[in-house]
Amino acid sequence: MQRRDLLKSAAAPAAGLTILRSGMLRGATAPSNKLNIALVGVWGRGTAHYATMRNENVVAICDVNELRNKEALQIFPKAKAYWDWRKMLDQKDIEAVIICTADHHHAFIANWALNRDMHVFCEKPLGISVEEVRTVRANYLKRKAKVATQHGTQRHAYPNFERIRELILDGAIGELHTVHSWDARRLPRPGYPPAEGMPPKYLQYEQWIGPSPYHPYSPQYFGGSSGLNCLFWNMYRDFGVGQMGDMGAHTMDLVWNAVDCGAPSTIDIDFEVSDKYDPDICPVKLKAIFEHPANSWRGPVKLVWYQGGLKPEAPKSYVDLSRVGNGAIFEGSKGSIFCDFTSRIIIPNNDDGDFTYYKRRSKDDLLPLIMGTGMPTQAPPPARPAPRPQQAALPKGMTAMPSAEVGPNGFPTIQMMEGGIPPAIGMPNDVVERILAAEKAGQPAPGRPDPFQLEWIEACKGNRNNFVTGMSSKTHCDFDYSGTMIEQMLLGLVAHRAGKKLEYDGKTGRVTNMPEANDWLKRTYRPNWKLDG
């Protein structure tokens, strides 16, 4: 069987009906085609879902900052508001959950929602331990016939993802053997911040800590702006996994979509260039090497991950990798593909590479994009340059937008708002403000539904039951596909801690050559917090 025939995706989504827990039908022909959605984490990344959610029924919202709930209720007035997502998930009319919390809550909320047969959209990463992501993935696989999931690697909607996969499958660079990918972000930290001040009364700080070991309140955890506050806490191991699960999830997704891998068989770290292990802080510089066995269409493949400024050698001297913050290089027997999220270049191994061995597929054989069109990256220029939007007025006490760059003491400098409130707690939700202003002026609300989110919405309604793409079904980035990807990245952190090359059995989820390393695949939770609730 030819690999093109073996892996060709079924491009046409099929309309269908889904039987809900209530026994009602929801689908293309149902009387009401709106989904009952709950949003956990209404600020930051949560605001990116507003445009899509406003076309559905938002029945519940949840945030540890009760001021955020009050803001969001202005545009979701029919929703019930919570600060504890565990209580929210007992609300009987919730059909689907969107998770935009801090990373250390992701696997918990996702698993609890799946246990209640709810559809789940979870921002990346799916969890912060190998055990967490394996648990969520296994739970999804038991229910995949009746629930739809999507992992928040929204860049997957760029057409470049499928174009690269086609080139690899069709042999444009010969037999694939090695892939390099990287992220250039650097967020060093000297350790957990010391206690400083007290949390405002409207911030449920204990709930924000959640299942993780307790750390006293510090404005350092809340020093960022909307959508970027993760940069202020995700380097701390009790709350995140650094770039392995942040931009690493996005960049490895570009690779994962093309290589059809499961869990790696070995994981190694280049300790000559990587940071030393720190029990509290995730590494800034890290080079991890993952080896994967052959599958039905390719031989063994090596995936090499670089972060913190480390990068591979360029395929040609004229390629300047320093200008590419997130990218990948696919190496094959006949050439290489150098790419970022939206563009790609094919480079033959020799000067007279003629590409006669490569047959370009027809338009009818192209892999399906998300929602048919993906997220276009090229558009005609406007007739006249659009005026630059004026910078919103900063809250009193602040002189500039927050920055996660470190100051003289090794931590970011936190600009406190009036009353000693850090920006992530007190800055107004400007997305809500813009929506309300547009409604008052009789204009369309700002923003438009995201194709990546819409794909999940359609799958929740049963409109994509027969859809298959690559290694996922219903959606491009379900918890099966994305779960194994994040499992690999987290294994890189385990090997970094182990200080040696690890051998791994993906079927059992066990390290086979260092028994004590299996204790590092999981983490310990505070009392009354259960992953499987």
Side-chain angles (χ1 to χ4, degrees):
M1 181 178 290
Q2 297 296 315
R3 58 185 174 186
R4 179 183 299 194
D5 296 329
L6 178 68
L7 292 159
K8 180 179 176 183
S9 299
L17 296 174
T18 297
I19 299 177
L20 305 179
R21 297 189 309 280
S22 63
M24 296 177 60
L25 293 176
R26 183 173 303 284
T29 58
S32 172
N33 201 32
K34 290 191 175 184
L35 194 67
N36 289 348
I37 296 180
L39 174 63
V40 192
V42 304
W43 190 66
R45 183 63 193 161
T47 64
H49 293 265
Y50 285 3
T52 302
M53 291 172 56
R54 279 166 60 81
N55 292 323
E56 308 299 325
N57 292 326
V58 180
V59 298
I61 59 173
C62 181
D63 203 289
V64 294
N65 185 342
E66 296 183 65
L67 288 185
R68 298 294 178 215
N69 281 334
K70 291 180 180 179
E71 293 168 328
L73 284 172
Q74 296 177 83
I75 59 173
F76 301 123
K78 296 181 180 180
K80 295 180 181 179
Y82 302 83
W83 55 262
D84 187 335
W85 56 261
R86 295 169 296 184
K87 295 180 180 180
M88 184 202 75
L89 290 177
D90 288 333
Q91 185 173 320
K92 300 302 182 183
D93 60 343
I94 296 174
E95 297 170 348
V97 179
I98 299 173
I99 304 168
C100 301
T101 64
D103 296 356
H104 60 293
H105 284 270
H106 285 186
F108 280 76
I109 305 172
N111 212 48
W112 283 48
L114 289 172
N115 284 344
R116 290 155 178 76
D117 290 338
M118 297 174 180
H119 309 287
V120 184
F121 187 113
C122 182
E123 292 292 343
K124 48 79 187 162
L126 191 57
I128 65 171
S129 76
V130 171
E131 180 188 58
E132 287 181 354
V133 297
R134 286 183 65 91
T135 299
V136 174
R137 176 175 174 263
N139 202 352
Y140 163 65
L141 289 175
K142 290 189 298 185
R143 293 172 165 80
K144 66 181 297 184
K146 55 184 175 181
V147 299
T149 60
Q150 188 85 298
H151 189 238
T153 48
Q154 68 277 356
R155 288 172 175 81
H156 201 109
Y158 290 139
N160 196 47
F161 278 64
E162 301 304 338
R163 301 293 85 90
I164 290 172
R165 177 173 170 83
E166 290 159 355
L167 290 170
I168 299 298
L169 294 182
D170 297 347
I173 58 172
E175 296 298 322
L176 180 69
H177 55 77
T178 306
V179 188
H180 307 270
S181 56
W182 65 89
D183 169 65
R185 181 178 280 160
R186 308 180 197 191
L187 295 171
R189 297 289 184 268
Y192 285 100
E196 182 182 347
M198 295 292 292
K201 292 182 179 180
Y202 48 82
L203 175 68
Q204 301 293 336
Y205 183 69
E206 280 275 354
Q207 179 69 13
W208 184 83
I209 292 288
S212 293
Y214 185 82
H215 294 272
Y217 171 80
S218 170
Q220 282 292 332
Y221 300 130
F222 306 100
S225 57
S226 183
L228 293 175
N229 192 58
C230 62
L231 304 184
F232 286 76
W233 47 253
N234 72 8
M235 289 295 288
Y236 304 115
R237 291 187 186 270
D238 286 335
F239 306 131
V241 290
Q243 293 313 302
M244 295 297 272
D246 190 353
M247 290 309 298
H250 289 300
T251 316
M252 186 55 69
D253 182 30
L254 184 65
V255 173
W256 210 247
N257 188 59
V259 297
D260 292 341
C261 287
S265 56
T266 68
I267 311 99
D268 200 5
I269 303 296
D270 185 342
F271 291 98
E272 291 188 3
V273 298
S274 301
D275 288 342
K276 292 183 179 180
Y277 172 75
D278 185 314
D280 296 331
I281 307 299
C282 297
V284 175
K285 291 183 178 180
L286 187 68
K287 179 181 177 182
I289 303 99
F290 308 98
E291 294 181 348
H292 291 268
N295 64 15
S296 59
W297 63 265
R298 58 157 175 76
V301 65
K302 180 185 296 183
L303 307 185
V304 189
W305 170 253
Y306 309 77
Q307 66 180 45
L310 302 177
K311 291 181 180 179
E313 292 186 8
K316 292 290 184 180
S317 59
Y318 54 78
V319 176
D320 185 1
L321 298 188
S322 68
R323 300 173 65 88
V324 181
N326 296 89
I329 298 171
F330 295 81
E331 295 179 349
S333 58
K334 295 183 179 296
S336 300
I337 297 173
F338 167 50
C339 61
D340 60 10
F341 292 126
T342 61
S343 62
R344 61 203 174 273
I345 300 171
I346 303 176
I347 304 173
N349 276 349
N350 53 68
D351 294 337
D352 60 353
D354 56 18
F355 285 99
T356 55
Y357 56 87
Y358 165 60
K359 183 179 180 182
R360 182 179 179 181
R361 63 174 62 192
S362 70
K363 186 176 181 179
D364 292 338
D365 287 333
L366 295 179
L367 298 175
L369 301 178
I370 289 176
M371 296 304 292
T373 60
M375 179 66 78
T377 55
Q378 297 183 15
R384 64 181 65 180
R388 293 185 63 182
Q390 293 183 351
Q391 184 175 349
L394 290 168
K396 291 183 179 179
M398 295 178 60
T399 60
M401 290 298 289
S403 170
E405 298 299 317
V406 298
N409 65 350
F411 292 102
T413 299
I414 307 299
Q415 291 195 71
M416 304 294 277
M417 296 170 49
E418 193 174 38
I421 305 298
I425 296 178
M427 287 183 75
N429 189 329
D430 60 341
V431 180
V432 169
E433 291 179 346
R434 292 198 300 270
I435 291 173
L436 294 175
E439 289 179 346
K440 184 176 181 181
Q443 299 174 349
R448 61 181 181 180
D450 186 312
F452 190 74
Q453 299 165 8
L454 287 175
E455 179 182 60
W456 174 70
I457 294 288
E458 287 296 296
C460 294
K461 295 177 181 179
N463 294 340
R464 302 175 75 81
N465 283 341
N466 296 330
F467 183 80
V468 176
T469 174
M471 297 181 71
S472 289
S473 62
K474 297 185 182 180
T475 63
H476 278 69
C477 298
D478 67 12
F479 289 174
D480 184 12
Y481 164 89
S482 297
T484 54
M485 179 188 72
I486 295 297
E487 178 182 1
Q488 174 194 254
M489 301 303 278
L490 297 178
L491 284 167
L493 294 179
V494 175
H496 183 238
R497 179 175 182 176
K500 62 180 288 186
K501 184 175 184 177
L502 297 182
E503 298 172 3
Y504 187 67
D505 182 349
K507 290 184 179 181
T508 62
R510 305 290 291 176
V511 176
T512 58
N513 67 326
M514 188 178 181
E516 61 269 34
N518 289 301
D519 293 335
W520 308 331
L521 303 179
K522 55 189 177 182
R523 61 192 188 109
T524 302
Y525 306 122
R526 291 204 296 167
N528 301 320
W529 286 89
K530 296 180 180 180
L531 180 60
D532 193 26

